[in-house]
């Protein structure tokens, strides 16, 4: 039977499956939605004590949540104990847990603890301004293809973006693993563009650390900007390199 959305969250989920640019909006709606949870919520003072049932999905244990009562019934059968709760309250109360939305559904979605933490507080993942002296730069042996493809779609829809470059940055202090560093040559609202890139990256590759910096033709030759500009772009207004 074809999946027919029953609410705006399910409409966003269905759209996000085929449209990468729609995925950040799905996560934002998810955080604002009411969820149906498999388990029990019992009063405990001013707060409720949550006893959430787990399901084994793809070989791992997840807390099970649903976008509508009918999705729960279809997944585990009618009559199962459940409760309704604001998504943000639920995710705050179960920090560190992996969650699956609509298990066994055509439009199910696993949510790792890392991506949940990001969408609870995107500002917590705000990146510091890297300096060339702080990192070792290299061309990634395995390019992050899904991320690159999604960013190309985003930049194609942002006329003020002229080009984008990517290198792998390995912090010399060893506190973080090597991760993508994206340099963008653009005009216009830079903070808004950085936020869009960060949100899209969190939706496409939630486990991946990402740094974003502006590419400035007037930057010193030993700067991150200059080193990125010397790398062939993965996106440009005139051509997108595969």
């Amino acid at each position: 039977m074809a999946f027919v959305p029953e609410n705006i969250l399910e409409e966003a989920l269905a759209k996000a499956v085929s449209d990468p640019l729609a995925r950040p909006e799905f996560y934002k709606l998810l955080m604002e939605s009411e969820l149906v949870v498999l388990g029990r919520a019992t009063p405990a003072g001013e707060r409720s004590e949550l006893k959430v049932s787990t399901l084994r999905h793809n070989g791992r244990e997840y807390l099970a949540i649903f976008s509508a009562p009918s999705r729960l019934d279809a997944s585990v059968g009618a009559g199962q104990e459940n409760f309704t709760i604001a998504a943000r309250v639920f995710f705050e109360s179960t920090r560190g847990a992996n969650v699956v939305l609509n298990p066994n559904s055509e439009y199910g979605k696993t949510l790792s603890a890392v991506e949940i933490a990001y969408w609870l507080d995107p500002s917590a993942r705000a990146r510091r301004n890297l300096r060339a002296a702080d990192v070792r730069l290299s061309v990634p042996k395995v390019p992050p293809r899904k991320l690159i493809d999604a960013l190309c779609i985003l930049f194609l829809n942002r006329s003020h973006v002229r080009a984008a470059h990517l290198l792998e940055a390995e912090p010399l202090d060893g506190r973080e693993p090597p991760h993508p560093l994206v340099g963008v040559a653009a005009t216009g609202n830079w903070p808004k563009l950085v936020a869009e890139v960060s949100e899209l990256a969190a939706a496409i590759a939630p486990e991946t650390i990402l740094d974003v910096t502006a590419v400035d033709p007037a930057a010193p030759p030993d700067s991150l900007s200059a080193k990125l500009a010397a790398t062939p772009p993965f996106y440009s207004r005139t051509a997108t390199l595969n």
Side-chain angles (χ1 to χ4, degrees):
M1 181 180 295
F3 182 87
V4 179
E6 297 185 15
N7 50 51
I8 59 172
L9 176 61
E10 293 189 349
E11 290 175 357
L13 174 59
K15 186 176 181 181
V17 170
S18 58
D19 181 1
L21 296 191
R23 291 173 191 173
E25 184 61 26
F26 158 72
Y27 281 99
K28 292 175 184 178
L29 278 172
L30 174 65
M31 289 297 161
E32 299 169 359
S33 297
E34 292 283 318
L35 299 173
V36 180
V37 180
L38 186 62
R40 181 194 315 163
T42 57
E46 295 182 358
R47 301 182 64 181
S48 293
E49 181 178 309
L50 307 183
K51 295 184 178 180
V52 184
S53 299
T54 60
L55 289 179
R56 195 157 186 81
H57 181 73
N58 292 337
R60 297 181 64 182
E61 293 291 329
Y62 291 86
L63 304 183
I65 61 175
F66 301 87
S67 52
S70 62
R71 306 301 175 196
L72 183 148
D73 292 346
S75 176
V76 298
Q80 298 294 321
E81 194 169 36
N82 66 85
F83 61 93
T84 302
I85 187 172
R88 185 169 292 275
V89 174
F90 174 78
F91 290 132
E92 288 281 10
S93 301
T94 58
R95 273 184 180 268
N98 295 313
V99 177
V100 59
L101 172 67
N102 296 342
N104 305 318
S105 168
E106 179 185 357
Y107 285 83
K109 176 75 175 74
T110 57
L111 302 162
S112 71
V114 171
E115 61 188 308
I116 291 170
Y118 173 87
W119 292 103
L120 281 172
D121 183 13
S123 66
R125 191 174 166 175
R127 307 295 298 151
R128 73 271 184 239
N129 292 322
L130 286 184
R131 298 183 307 163
D134 296 332
V135 294
R136 181 181 296 108
L137 298 175
S138 61
V139 176
K141 293 180 181 177
V142 181
R145 193 72 257 169
K146 288 184 179 180
L147 178 60
I148 288 173
D149 290 345
L151 289 175
C152 284
I153 296 172
L154 173 66
F155 297 150
L156 186 63
N157 286 273
R158 301 294 181 268
S159 60
H160 59 292
V161 174
R162 301 189 303 274
H165 312 256
L166 185 145
L167 286 171
E168 185 172 83
E170 181 179 1
L172 298 179
D173 60 16
R175 293 183 180 181
E176 293 177 343
H179 56 268
L181 168 65
V182 174
V184 186
T187 56
N189 190 331
W190 175 251
K192 181 180 179 182
L193 180 62
V194 171
E196 290 179 329
V197 170
S198 298
E199 289 175 355
L200 186 59
I204 298 296
E207 308 290 336
T208 300
I209 297 170
L210 180 74
D211 277 303
V212 185
T213 190
V215 171
D216 180 0
D222 60 345
S223 66
L224 285 177
S225 177
K227 293 178 184 299
L228 283 158
T231 304
F234 68 83
Y235 171 83
S236 71
R237 281 323 278 175
T238 56
T240 300
L241 303 182
N242 294 316

